[in-house]
Amino acid sequence: MTAAGIYVHVPFCLTRCGYCDFNAYAGLDHLSNRYVRALAAEARLHAPGWAGVPFTSVFFGGGTPTTLDPVELVSLIAELRRTLAVDDDSEVTVEANPDTVDTDSLTALRRGGVNRLSMGAQSFDPLVLQALERVHQPSSVRRAFADARAAGFDDVNLDLIFGADGESLGSWRHTVEQTVELRPEHVSAYALTIEPATPLGRAVDAGRTPSPDPDGQADMFELACELLGAAGYEHYEVSNWALPGRECRHNLGYWERRPYLGLGAGAHSSRDGHRWWNVRPPEQYLQTVESDMVPIGGQEFLDPEAERLESVFLGLRTSAGVNASDVDPDLAEPFVHEGLLEERDGRLVLSERGLFLANDVVLALTG
Ligand code: SF4
């Protein structure tokens, strides 16, 4: 049976960052105990339908999962293992904000079965962190990273964002160089996008903040490819680099279209062409689960053609690419001609330049 993943959404944050449109809230910490109980209860509600499915990854995302008490997080992992068929050697990732962890909390997580940490570093330039309304400083990332190593984490990801207001190419170079110096096993780097329903989106709309410059972001992406590649990181998905063998197993599952079960407010699930998502407001989620009901907010079924297109869409974003025969050659040819797409051993793979334009290329090939 195909291995599956579990995604657990924790919607609590210390503060709201101005660019963020995730299902995350500051000031709801008083719900956390109830919320952890509801996550365990939701897993039990799903257990009969997923009986016998082997889970090889668990990913706690958010929000900021490390706002939860580590003891509660660890007991939730144990409960998930009792309820669902989680493999002993599963990858168990927790997303962390540098200001919410220390050696003690990280040691508790490591001993409790968390074997991968994904930290939101975003930048090593204080002015960029300020523009992103992040509460931490570059020094907090270095301190939290050292704490993670001291706690025994040998699989750490650092998340970076490029293209914030005021960020120069030189500043971005500094951020990538500082990242490489720490030598995390994995790096994710995302171009800042402006979401309309966020404080940053409204500031851009009102002309108070400039929109990110796409040419500048392209230069930053190219620089990241160059510096991370030179430091031995393999570029295995548009926004993701890993030291050899340290790719994120959970995220590979999404791109390879393996099934996943989402638990928590607004979490998405997918299995055999059926996709569903939970209600988003935490209070509504809690009340539904506490009434012993699965908190589904909506669902859709993909027909075989939609599934095929999705496989191409996701496959092209990875270094594995797709079978050349899965793409209409007339649609692919102009991109091959422009050097955005390359044919290698019967597979079509985006070139480094094509990876930055992945969305446009992939849409043109699957649209
Ligand atoms: S910490 Fe992450 S999830 Fe929370 S508001 Fe900031 S960007 Fe969003």
Side-chain angles (χ1 to χ4, degrees), residues 203-269:
V204 168
D205 196 42
R208 294 194 302 277
T209 303
S211 204
D213 164 29
D215 291 338
Q217 284 187 318
D219 291 344
M220 289 177 182
F221 181 79
E222 205 179 321
L223 185 62
C225 294
E226 184 191 317
L227 296 177
L228 291 170
Y233 290 87
E234 290 170 1
H235 195 177
Y236 74 103
E237 197 269 347
V238 173
S239 307
N240 289 279
W241 288 258
L243 293 177
R246 310 314 286 267
E247 297 87 358
C248 174
R249 197 190 297 176
H250 185 80
N251 284 342
L252 277 173
Y254 293 141
W255 304 321
E256 291 168 1
R257 298 195 69 251
R258 284 191 258 120
Y260 55 90
L261 171 63
L263 304 173
H268 285 234
S269 304

Side-chain angles (χ1 to χ4, degrees), residues 25 54 70 80 88 92 109 142 149 173 204 207 228 233-234 237 263 273 286 294 334 342-343 350 367:
Y25 308 81
L80 293 179
D88 286 346
V92 181
L109 292 179
R142 290 192 197 92
R149 290 298 197 218
R173 174 184 285 278
V204 168
L228 291 170
Y233 290 87
E234 290 170 1
E237 197 269 347
L263 304 173
L286 288 171
V294 176
E342 293 168 358
E343 194 160 352
L350 285 170

